Amino acid sequence: FACRGAACYRLPGPRGPLCVFRNQLPRRNDTYSEEPPPEEPPPDLPSSPPSRLRDGAALCRVCGCLGPRVCGRCRRAAYCGPEHQAVDWRRGHRRSCGQHAAGGDSADAIPEHNEFLFPEYEILIEPEEPEFPADSSVDPGDEQGAVDTSKDLKEQEELRATGSAAFQSLDEETLEAMAKHETEEDKIFQIFKERVAAEPEQIIRYCRGGEGPIWVSGENIPEEKDIPDCSCGAKRIFEFQIMPQLLNHLQVDSLGESIDWGTLVVYTCADNCGEGNEYPEEFIWKQDFSAGS
């Protein structure tokens, strides 16, 4: 969960205005069907999102959570609580309420509350392609690869020789500035850019308990002591990170005031504690592109 207000992202602390919760529902539950939905919906289904799931669970028209509360007038619009019922009433339900009985379907339409909700999208999950595919015609370890490497080394030697002659004419201060140009910070960000370039549309990198996150900066990287243990006593481990590309889809850009992050890294209980309808809070770490951003 994240606040839309840009000012909140300047709050102190590792996570800013962010929090993350984990929920592990059993297969048989009151919210979702036991069976996955079909790949393609039947052609007779309406194009707009349904206000109720197929198992009959009513959903709040504002946030999509379970909606045990209904409008007292039309008895059709469902809400999670009085706050969202009031929001929906001000945003248009007062005009559409009761129209269904007169033959309209406005009461069933799901409104958009973009003033505080982020837009929704489908997330496609695909494995990351290896750096050198198995069917690649060029093996970095074969003879051709060795020839190319030898050629590259020769070209690098020639460039160094040419550069040495040029450097002799530069003063010590200029040489020192050039030497410091590529810092460790530059190298870390370059690695991040190279990994992102392979999948520029990627918004989430998931690798629970495996390879760690890709950092955008060498600053503000958490140490093990910075990741608190779960309330059950187990260690928290890296599960996934949210990439900055997601910001392009959230429709939050505004001149001078916009939420921002370099990457958001989520750590969860290694023992998967909790069951049923509990929502244990996990740990999220926010890293900016630089300490001053």
Side-chain angles (χ1 to χ4, degrees):
F1 293 87
C3 178
R4 290 188 69 126
C8 290
Y9 285 76
R10 294 189 286 271
L11 295 174
R15 76 180 192 183
L18 304 160
C19 56
V20 58
F21 297 88
R22 173 174 51 87
N23 179 239
Q24 297 173 183
L25 288 174
R27 179 163 181 170
R28 180 171 298 177
N29 60 80
D30 296 332
T31 305
Y32 299 103
S33 170
E34 295 180 43
E35 301 300 328
E39 291 291 333
E40 297 294 335
D44 57 340
L45 283 182
S47 58
S48 60
S51 58
R52 290 176 177 267
L53 294 176
R54 292 185 179 183
D55 60 5
L59 302 181
C60 175
R61 283 165 51 90
V62 175
C63 65
C65 295
L66 286 177
R69 186 186 184 98
V70 296
C71 173
R73 182 180 176 186
C74 67
R75 309 298 297 177
R76 298 184 61 85
Y79 303 98
C80 61
E83 293 85 2
H84 284 184
Q85 183 175 5
V87 167
D88 192 42
W89 183 260
R90 293 193 303 267
R91 293 290 175 173
H93 184 62
R94 66 153 59 94
R95 296 187 298 272
S96 62
C97 184
Q99 290 184 10
H100 181 82
D105 58 358
S106 300
D108 290 333
I110 305 299
E112 293 185 356
H113 294 285
N114 293 331
E115 70 275 10
F116 66 95
L117 292 180
F118 293 121
E120 294 184 5
Y121 299 91
E122 179 183 8
I123 298 177
L124 301 180
I125 304 174
E126 297 177 349
E128 187 175 41
E129 294 294 333
E131 187 174 359
F132 299 103
D135 59 350
S136 175
S137 59
V138 179
D139 188 336
D142 65 10
E143 182 177 354
Q144 179 66 38
V147 172
D148 291 343
T149 302
S150 176
K151 182 180 178 181
D152 291 342
L153 290 175
K154 184 178 179 180
E155 291 177 351
Q156 290 175 16
E157 289 294 337
E158 293 176 353
L159 287 173
R160 273 197 287 267
T162 304
S164 297
F167 287 160
Q168 291 176 359
S169 62
L170 299 177
D171 57 54
E172 183 177 349
E173 183 178 352
T174 303
L175 289 172
E176 186 69 21
M178 293 175 65
K180 292 181 178 180
H181 178 69
E182 185 180 15
T183 63
E184 188 66 27
E185 185 76 7
D186 296 326
K187 295 178 182 178
I188 293 175
F189 186 58
Q190 183 63 32
I191 293 173
F192 178 82
K193 289 197 299 182
E194 290 174 355
R195 295 296 294 271
V196 168
E199 294 290 344
E201 297 297 319
Q202 187 180 53
I203 60 170
I204 294 177
R205 292 184 58 87
Y206 186 94
C207 189
R208 187 172 191 269
E211 178 188 356
I214 304 172
W215 300 106
V216 301
S217 168
E219 302 175 354
N220 195 31
I221 296 178
E223 300 179 5
E224 185 176 354
K225 62 181 178 63
D226 297 321
I227 310 301
D229 292 344
C230 180
S231 57
C232 73
K235 293 286 185 182
R236 283 194 173 99
I237 59 175
F238 167 68
E239 181 157 349
F240 65 92
Q241 70 180 115
I242 301 175
M243 309 297 282
Q245 292 89 304
L246 181 61
L247 292 166
N248 296 329
H249 303 287
L250 295 185
Q251 302 175 12
V252 293
D253 290 340
S254 60
L255 187 62
E257 285 290 324
S258 180
I259 68 175
D260 193 22
W261 62 71
T263 187
L264 304 176
V265 184
V266 175
Y267 298 85
T268 58
C269 176
D271 290 348
N272 294 323
C273 69
E275 58 183 20
N277 292 324
E278 297 180 359
Y279 282 80
E281 184 172 4
E282 295 290 11
F283 185 73
I284 185 169
W285 185 276
K286 175 177 176 285
Q287 187 193 46
D288 294 317
F289 282 101
S290 67
S293 66

